[in-house]
Amino acid sequence: MARMLNPVHLVLGEDDFLAERATKAIVAQAGEGVEVTTLRAGDVSEGEIAMATSPSLFAEDRVVVVKHAELAGKEPTEILLQACVNPAPGITLIVEHTGGGRQKAMVKKFAKVAEVHKADALKDNERRSWLMEEFRSHGVRPTPDVAAAVLESVGSDLRELASAVSQLVSDTEGELTVESVRAYYVGVAEVAGFDIADQAVAGRADRALASTRRALQLGTSPVSIAAALARKVGDIAKLHGVRGNPDQLARTVGMHPYVAKKTMQVARQWSGDAVSHAVIIVSDLDAEVKGQGGDPEFALENAVRRIAELA
């Protein structure tokens, strides 16, 4: 087994996925076929820690992973620290610690003798950069709007985002676009509705109407476009006149932080009266496209135009 630069590693941070990924990368560097022992710090005694970190009788290389070191008792923590200070030959120690818990004070001591791998939870403004790097690790360099579409379609969970990137790169032929991302996750009909709604609430009447007519010609259901328009207007109504941190507001109204931030920017263009009128328009439209009015396609175009004029 090729020795690592440091036989002791501290995976520090509260994000489970990033911690898991960092640990897997270290184990991979240890070499194929190496024995891996995994311990949960809160469930083991000092004797079990001592046995796992003691030299092998047969001088075999081993990796010992200690998860949730912040939950360990005082004695097991002291024994683990001693093992890190003076690691046995052939053993690679990986200590996972959130940085908090009852053993928070021990973090600095572990960090002095270990190679530290950060696994901190990402802030919303860091998640897009992380996603771009995830695409690059697969040999793809997406545009920022593609990354934004993935966040909007998939959500903020890093494990799900990593899986989405892998699937998109594997299953999507040609260049990744916003349209291909949305079509992959929500279907072609909904993609048309998303785009039309975005254009309408931004006040781009000509583009919104042109997109509506093209979507209808291609067979997109007026019901699906009306639903997207209603959702977009509803989001603006929720966040109109609201100020504050998009991350906190997103949890309150049940939106993804990126969507909340984007909606707040659009909502600033709207007056209170315009929002009220738009809510009435999409409510009437819902009935009309479901057969309770005249021509559904005419009703849809009329509603798109009126909403764009209100923006």
Side-chain angles (χ1 to χ4, degrees), residues 189-190 192-193 196 215-216 218-228 289 296-297 300:
E190 288 83 352
I196 291 166
L216 292 172
L218 293 173
T220 303
S221 166
V223 174
S224 68
I225 301 174
V289 296
E297 295 189 1
L300 178 63

Side-chain angles (χ1 to χ4, degrees), residues 183-297:
Y184 191 87
Y185 284 102
V186 297
V188 175
E190 288 83 352
V191 170
F194 272 130
D195 291 341
I196 291 166
D198 281 341
Q199 292 163 2
V201 299
R204 297 191 286 267
D206 290 344
R207 290 176 59 181
L209 284 169
S211 296
T212 301
R213 289 162 186 157
R214 183 166 61 251
L216 292 172
Q217 290 170 356
L218 293 173
T220 303
S221 166
V223 174
S224 68
I225 301 174
L229 196 61
R231 178 179 173 182
K232 189 69 65 174
V233 169
D235 287 348
I236 289 174
K238 288 179 184 178
L239 293 176
H240 181 261
V242 175
R243 296 291 182 268
N245 186 317
D247 290 348
Q248 297 174 344
L249 291 171
R251 287 191 291 270
T252 302
V253 299
M255 292 183 192
H256 181 270
Y258 170 77
V259 178
K261 183 177 180 180
K262 180 180 176 183
T263 303
M264 288 173 72
Q265 292 171 344
V266 175
R268 293 191 189 108
Q269 305 172 21
W270 286 69
S271 68
D273 285 344
V275 172
S276 298
H277 280 102
V279 170
I280 294 171
I281 289 170
V282 294
S283 178
D284 292 342
L285 176 63
D286 180 67
E288 290 172 320
V289 296
K290 292 178 180 176
Q292 298 178 29
D295 181 354
E297 295 189 1

Side-chain angles (χ1 to χ4, degrees), residues 70-134:
E70 72 278 0
L71 300 179
K74 183 178 179 180
E75 289 77 13
T77 300
E78 290 291 349
I79 292 174
L80 179 59
L81 179 60
Q82 288 305 312
C84 292
V85 171
N86 186 27
I91 290 184
T92 298
L93 282 168
I94 305 173
V95 179
E96 294 184 4
H97 198 302
T98 63
R102 56 185 174 182
Q103 299 301 338
K104 180 179 180 179
M106 300 297 288
V107 171
K108 290 183 179 179
K109 294 182 179 181
F110 280 114
K112 286 181 179 179
V113 296
E115 181 178 339
V116 179
H117 306 262
K118 291 288 189 179
D120 296 320
L122 299 183
K123 298 177 181 178
D124 186 52
N125 60 352
E126 298 171 328
R127 197 169 286 110
R128 188 185 299 192
S129 296
W130 179 88
L131 184 61
M132 296 287 278
E133 286 299 320
E134 189 71 13

